[in-house]
Amino acid sequence: MRGEEEVARVWEEKREGIHEEDGRGLGGSEIQPTNPHHSVCTPRGTSSIMARSGALPLLAALILAFAAAATVAGAPAAATDFIRKSCRETQFPSVCVQSLSSYGAAGNSPQELARAALSVSADRAKSASAYVGRLVGPGLRGGSGSSGGAKKGSSSSSPARDCMENMADSVGHLRDAAKELGGNMGRAGTAAFRWHLSNVQTWCSAALTDENTCLDGLSRGVDARTRAAIRSKVVDVAQVTSNALALVNRVGSGH
């Protein structure tokens, strides 16, 4: 910031010097507002000084912009390095880095990074559930008929519909886990902290089980094209959830 103050000081001195020279060139009289329709004669040398000084605001702006860019660029670089190092301990490191690359706010906190990973998983699980729901169609979603719709796992339900409900359950578990991890867990290492962290691990594990159950169910009663489309979405969710659980466990390991 010292450089910015120096630029501002130099510009102010230049501006005052121009005003003084303008005053001498006009016989020391005060500069009066001019009629824009009349031509104005400026003292010799004043135009060239003003032309040179006109570059100063641009120079100052460029310096300020460069300083700001350097500051902004430095923070994400450090955050990205932290994310990359943390993701090395997950099962799918490249997926981990890609999914968390926009979460610079996590800083260097393993707990905040794990919470961000849980949020990513919840968002993707919700998207996958909605996608499966569109493939299933309204006729197999449970509806509001007298039967109340087929229950998950019943003989009248379809594997795709079961998968949709599994993913919806996964969303709930992941949101509960993220909320717990972002709440007041107490000081790290205390019994209260370990209890809250255990809840997070349980919910995250349950979400991963839901996703794997969905994938297992798709092996029967689903045509190949639909199975491949659903599997692509759910595998993506399962990978980010597995990574999230690994980052949660990292919080508990004292990193």
Side-chain angles (χ1 to χ4, degrees), residues 7 11 15 17 19 26 36 59 69 72 77 87 95 104 114 132 140 146-147 152 158 167 175-176 189 194 204 244 248:
V7 169
W11 163 238
R15 186 172 63 84
H19 288 171
L26 293 173
L59 177 61
V72 172
C87 286
V95 173
V132 176
L140 294 176
S146 58
S147 64
K152 181 168 61 177
S158 73
M167 298 309 295
R175 285 178 174 172
D176 287 340
R194 289 192 295 271
C204 192
V248 168

Side-chain angles (χ1 to χ4, degrees), residues 206-248:
L208 192 57
T209 299
D210 288 329
E211 294 152 14
N212 287 326
T213 300
C214 165
L215 292 172
D216 292 341
L218 293 175
S219 60
R220 56 180 176 81
V222 181
D223 65 88
R225 184 175 181 178
T226 301
R227 180 169 59 249
I230 295 175
R231 180 178 175 79
S232 174
K233 295 286 185 181
V234 178
V235 165
D236 174 70
V237 178
Q239 288 180 348
V240 294
T241 302
S242 171
N243 289 341
L245 181 57
L247 293 175
V248 168

Side-chain angles (χ1 to χ4, degrees), residues 15-33:
R15 186 172 63 84
E16 292 175 356
I18 293 167
H19 288 171
E20 291 174 2
E21 184 166 344
D22 285 349
R24 289 193 298 273
L26 293 173
S29 61
E30 182 180 355
I31 299 176
Q32 300 294 330

Side-chain angles (χ1 to χ4, degrees), residues 4-136:
E4 297 170 9
E5 294 174 357
E6 182 65 18
V7 169
R9 184 184 63 79
V10 171
W11 163 238
E12 184 64 24
E13 291 176 355
K14 274 286 186 183
R15 186 172 63 84
E16 292 175 356
I18 293 167
H19 288 171
E20 291 174 2
E21 184 166 344
D22 285 349
R24 289 193 298 273
L26 293 173
S29 61
E30 182 180 355
I31 299 176
Q32 300 294 330
T34 60
N35 187 328
H37 298 290
H38 296 165
S39 60
V40 179
C41 295
T42 57
R44 182 178 301 177
T46 302
S47 297
S48 60
I49 293 173
M50 293 181 70
R52 289 195 303 271
S53 63
L56 286 174
L58 177 60
L59 177 61
L62 289 174
I63 292 174
L64 292 174
F66 179 79
T71 302
V72 172
T80 301
D81 186 57
F82 170 69
I83 290 171
R84 187 179 296 107
K85 289 181 179 178
S86 300
C87 286
R88 289 174 186 168
E89 301 185 27
T90 66
Q91 189 173 357
F92 309 98
S94 60
V95 173
C96 177
V97 172
Q98 182 274 329
S99 64
L100 295 173
S101 59
S102 61
Y103 281 82
N108 291 323
S109 168
Q111 186 170 335
E112 284 301 311
L113 186 64
R115 188 165 71 92
L118 290 169
S119 297
V120 169
S121 298
D123 289 343
R124 295 198 182 187
K126 181 180 178 181
S127 177
S129 179
Y131 177 78
V132 176
R134 290 193 296 272
L135 292 180
V136 167

